Amino acid sequence: MSSFRNHNGSSESLTGVPTLNSEVDDWRTGDTDDEEDQSAHDQGDTDSSSSQPGSGRASTSAPSSALPSTASNNWREQTDSDWLANKRNAPQTAASPAAAAPRVPPPRPAPTPVKKPAPSPAFGQPTAAAPTAPPPKPAAPSKPSRPAQPETMRTPPVAAAVPNSPAGAGAVKSQSQTGLRPGNSFSTSSSNLSINAQALAAKYPYFTASEIGAFHQQYAAADKDSRDQVHLSDLSNVATKAGASFQDVTAKLAQLNLNDSNGLVSFDGFLKAVSKIREEKGAPKQSGGDAKKIVLHGHMENTTHTINEDEKESFTQHLNQALARDAHVGERLPIDPSSMQIFNECKDGLILAKLINDSVPGTIDERVLNVGKKLNMFHMTENNNVVVNSAKAVGCSVVNIGAQDLIEGREHLILGLIWQIIKIGLQAKIDIKVHPELFRLLETGENLEDFLKLPPEQILLRWFNYHLKKAGWSRKVNNFTGDVKDGENYTVLLNQLAPGECSRAPLKVNDLFERAEAVLQNADKLNCRKYLTPKTLVEGNSKLNFAFVANLFNTHPGLEKLSEAEMAQLDEWLFSSEGDREARAFALWLNSLGVEPFVNNLFDDLRDGLVLLHAMDTVHPGVVDWKKVNKAPVSSRFKKVENCNYVVVLGKSMKFSLVGIGGVDITDGTKTLTLALVWQLMREHVIQTLRTLSTGGREITDNDMIKWANDTVKTRANKGSVMSSFKDSSLKTGVFFLDLLQGIKKGVVNYELVSQGNSDDDAKMNAKYAISIARKLGATIFVLPEDIVEVKPKMILTFVGTLMALDKSQNA
């Protein structure tokens, strides 16, 4: 179900946003308030005291509003012009100087802050403790006064710059300035300041070139005048990014006399200070180290994250190829794989949304996306809401990722999400419905159902070994690391798939890197030279080797077609597995709660009862007495049944209908009984969330949801559509749900894109549009367009309940 949180702490969004059918004008011409707000937010985000709501981290700073509000006019009813008029008419006040500071820098003008509503909790999650004020920043020398500049002349910070925008996005650097590879032309979106990261890394060996590039992005965001000078008081974010405390950096700058009399520091001076701090703390030198690892410092002091540079480059190249012809992001490509540009390009959500649709076509109705060369913070948040909620719907684990994390360009989170999206796309075709020939991989005595319970990695290994055996090769592959790094197994596999194009000549090459190159040249003959390089093949990178083999299977499976008798057997199994769509939705919902372990197969992964107990404890915190639970790993069948019996006892205490269901049924994976239990738990999640949002915490019934939906459509959307029950056949057109969303947020539906839904195709388009709008507003849902067109009562109940909770949480 839905966490109903807008992960940047705000549930607001603008009405009348541009769609893919319209050009976006820069409605902020002459108004840089949003840039100033973002800069202020960046400077005030001290890692030691706060983190982002919606990312699984508690916030210790009071939230501030992203949208203005008035007593007479709710923001939901405002048009863009109304909102802009209110914004520009808001009084401007100067910030009060800190009393503790001995010298006070003159404040920049800033718009009057407006408080942002606190994010509502996820289903069953306890409400976070009241935020506390962050500790005061240390005193810093005052800034020199700067002559006032016209708003239209200011250079926007790098964090807010949108690639390829005409004016104000920063000049494109030459190859010598950016360190781009010779012979390649890449679009850039960085500041006017230029650096040679490799040269600086050689000068300051306690940094890698990639680290210096990441630090410079933060530094350039604070350097609003693009003159390679930042005031001491603006270095908080940059210092934290470098893994040093603000106090240590300012002290070291003073000790080394690296700031001038006005308190201004160059980027070189900053690097020198932090390098000295690292040296004194005994940090290892980075030069000559593991060049494939990029160490990034998180928002919390002394917290680091590591990303693999080879993976970053490979995923960037995948993105460049997959989206090169896209009408809305194609002009921003190719992205330089060797730089950190990919993380800046992903901030507005468009590239990630397009990547999701490339991996799982049709997941996002692109008509709901905000497009244009320059998106404001609200439009970026809406796009990233769609990304996060759609990623959940296709099976990504995004428990600790929110829209704000993507907008802030959190590198390790973005790269992890990109990999999950790519992997899901690669795995999508490892399906017997797509490739019936997978039937060939069954072993003696194995039935089809047991085979298809294998994870995709194991099916690919089974396929790999099937071809090695047919080729008369004595070796087997058990992993995507050590068993493939010498290139021999790849040579035999490629030769077996295409003996005419791919020879076994690489087996005669002794040097591993030369052999790896020969292997990839063979793959290139099949148009499958993708993901791997000779270096990553020899190193045995598991992710990139999996991606290489999956792509090879998807394009050249090399399995014989089935006979009529085999097809008849397969058809019988496919007919008996009709309930899989519902099971998949329930599994995705359980994963959205953050249960451990991740649920891949609903019936197999619930057998020990632990996932269900974790879910119950999330829906009703404290309901599980963990002293009564057999902890993981639970190998004994007796202990598994014990846990599942406890699940049934707790279910009955929640007034579930569990007649004829025992713990042994769950342990045995009985499909109908397991589905019945999980469905009631999912429904209880919806009801419990609505109960916490209702006046006095009263019980919410199905009739209450139906009445709310009809009232919202009639009184707030002024529409005449009605639903009589969750089984109402008129719901199949999707029109009622679009009217309901229009009632929740006026102007969110473009009725020029809505049909009557008389045909199945038109009804499916309406349903897809409604689902994408719901995700754009911040709802996490697992309904498919087919569920609406076929009027599946259970899924429609969860959809309506989710929207009701979303509406009430935003109006709480």
Side-chain angles (χ1 to χ4, degrees), residues 331-342:
E331 65 178 11
R332 293 159 58 176
L333 306 176
I335 296 168
D336 177 13
S338 65
S339 74
M340 302 291 280
Q341 182 189 351
I342 178 67

Side-chain angles (χ1 to χ4, degrees), residues 53 79 128 132 145 153 167 190 388 399 401 464 556 612 630 726 740 787:
T79 64
T132 58
S145 299
M153 295 297 291
S190 50
V388 171
V399 174
I401 303 177
F464 203 144
H556 296 80
L612 287 172
N630 299 306
F726 296 122
L740 179 57
D787 296 324

Side-chain angles (χ1 to χ4, degrees), residues 206-208 211 215 241-244 273-284 286 295 297:
Y206 290 93
F207 304 107
T208 65
E211 276 187 295
F215 303 157
K241 189 76 174 177
V274 178
S275 182
K276 190 66 177 176
I277 292 171
R278 289 191 177 188
E279 180 183 358
E280 292 172 354
K281 290 184 177 181
Q286 300 296 314
V295 179
H297 294 273

Side-chain angles (χ1 to χ4, degrees), residues 467-476 488-489 492 504 507:
H467 284 297
L468 293 181
K469 184 178 180 180
K470 285 195 69 177
W473 188 246
S474 59
R475 292 177 59 183
K476 288 187 67 176
E488 290 185 355
N489 290 319
V492 176
R504 294 196 181 188
L507 294 177

Side-chain angles (χ1 to χ4, degrees), residues 348-422:
D348 65 5
L350 275 176
I351 283 180
L352 290 174
K354 299 284 187 173
L355 186 62
I356 289 174
N357 269 358
D358 178 71
S359 291
V360 188
T363 300
I364 298 172
D365 189 327
E366 295 187 1
R367 294 175 294 179
V368 309
L369 296 175
N370 305 316
V371 299
K373 293 183 178 180
K374 188 173 184 179
L375 299 181
N376 61 58
M377 186 64 67
F378 308 112
H379 290 170
M380 291 168 66
T381 299
E382 288 186 329
N383 282 350
N384 283 308
N385 279 341
V386 175
V387 167
V388 171
N389 290 312
S390 298
K392 291 179 185 178
V394 299
C396 296
S397 176
V398 291
V399 174
N400 293 320
I401 303 177
Q404 189 65 20
D405 295 310
L406 303 181
I407 292 172
E408 291 176 359
R410 304 281 180 87
E411 296 91 346
H412 66 292
L413 296 179
I414 291 175
L415 193 67
L417 180 58
I418 289 173
W419 164 239
Q420 289 190 78
I421 295 169
I422 292 174

Side-chain angles (χ1 to χ4, degrees), residues 307 312 340-347 409 411 414-415:
I307 64 176
K312 172 182 70 71
M340 302 291 280
Q341 182 189 351
I342 178 67
F343 305 111
N344 198 57
E345 297 288 353
C346 286
K347 291 180 179 182
E411 296 91 346
I414 291 175
L415 193 67

